[in-house]
C-alpha cells in the first residue's frame, strides 16, 4: 500500500504504467515469499528443540515465543533467530514504508493548494496510523529481551496486532468515505431521536 500511495502521489501521471497487474503480482509474490521463507526457518529451528515438561502454552495463540519457553533445550539460538527475522523482515519493511512516506511528504509539501495538501495527507494518515500501530506492537513483541517478566505485555501486544488492528483497519478506511460517514450520521441521528 505504501508503494501504491507513493506512486499515486509522487508520479500520478505514470501511475497506470507503473502499477500494472504484473507489478501488483510481483509485490504480492515477494511478500508471501518472504513470509514463507521466514516461517520455514522458524519451524525448522523449532523442530530442533526438545520438549519434556508441560505442554500448556500460556498464551492465546500458538506463537513461536511461548512455544520455545516450553522447551527443555537451550533456546538462545532460536531467540536470536526470532530477533534477527523480526529486525530484517519487520524492520526492513517498516523502513521501506517510512522512506516512501518521507518521499510522499516532500512531494505534498510542494503542492501549491492547501486543498490538495489536505487531501493527500488525509489519504495517507489512516494507512500510516495502522502501519505504526501494527509494526510498533510486532517489533515490541519480537525485539525485546525474553523473560517471564514481559509475558503479560507480550500477550497484550499479540492481541493488539492479531485482533484489534485488523478490526480497526476496515473501520479506519471506511470512515474516510463520505457516503459511509453520511450513513453513520443518519443512523446515529435516528437512534438519538428514538431515545428522546
Amino acid at each position: 500500500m505504501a508503494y501504491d500511495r507513493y506512486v499515486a502521489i509522487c508520479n500520478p501521471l505514470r501511475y497506470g504504467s507503473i502499477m500494472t497487474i504484473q507489478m501488483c503480482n510481483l509485490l504480492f509474490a515477494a511478500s508471501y515469499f518472504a513470509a514463507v521463507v521466514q516461517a520455514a526457518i522458524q519451524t525448522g529451528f523449532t523442530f530442533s528443540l526438545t520438549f519434556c515438561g508441560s505442554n500448556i502454552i500460556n498464551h492465546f495463540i500458538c506463537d513461536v515465543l511461548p512455544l520455545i519457553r516450553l522447551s527443555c533445550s537451550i533456546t538462545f539460538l532460536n531467540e536470536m533467530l526470532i530477533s534477527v527475522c523480526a529486525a530484517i523482515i519487520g524492520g526492513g519493511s517498516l523502513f521501506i514504508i517510512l522512506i516512501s512516506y518521507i518521499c510522499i511528504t516532500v512531494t505534498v509539501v510542494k503542492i501549491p493548494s492547501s486543498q490538495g495538501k489536505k487531501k493527500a495527507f488525509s489519504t495517507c494518515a489512516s494507512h500510516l496510523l495502522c502501519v505504526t500501530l501494527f509494526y510498533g506492537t510486532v517489533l515490541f513483541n519480537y525485539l525485546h529481551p525474553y523473560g517471564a517478566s514481559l509475558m503479560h505485555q507480550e500477550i497484550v501486544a499479540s492481541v493488539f496486532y492479531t485482533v484489534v488492528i485488523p478490526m480497526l483497519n476496515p473501520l479506519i478506511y471506511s470512515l474516510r468515505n463520505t457516503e459511509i460517514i453520511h450513513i453513520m450520521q443518519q443512523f446515529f441521528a435516528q437512534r438519538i431521536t428514538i431515545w428522546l
Side-chain angles (χ1 to χ4, degrees), residues 111-181:
I111 295 175
S113 75
S114 61
Q115 182 74 10
K117 287 179 185 180
K118 183 180 177 184
K119 184 176 179 182
F121 278 130
S122 71
T123 60
C124 296
S126 56
H127 181 242
L128 195 56
L129 174 69
C130 291
V131 164
T132 303
L133 290 172
F134 178 77
Y135 280 103
T137 54
V138 167
L139 292 177
F140 164 79
N141 220 21
Y142 293 105
L143 290 180
H144 65 73
Y146 303 107
S149 62
L150 292 174
M151 194 175 338
H152 294 296
Q153 287 91 342
E154 286 177 11
I155 293 171
V156 170
S158 295
V159 168
F160 210 75
Y161 72 79
T162 58
V163 177
V164 174
I165 295 170
M167 282 183 0
L168 284 178
N169 272 341
L171 181 67
I172 289 171
Y173 290 118
S174 64
L175 286 180
R176 285 183 33 242
N177 188 328
T178 55
E179 294 173 7
I180 292 180
I181 291 172

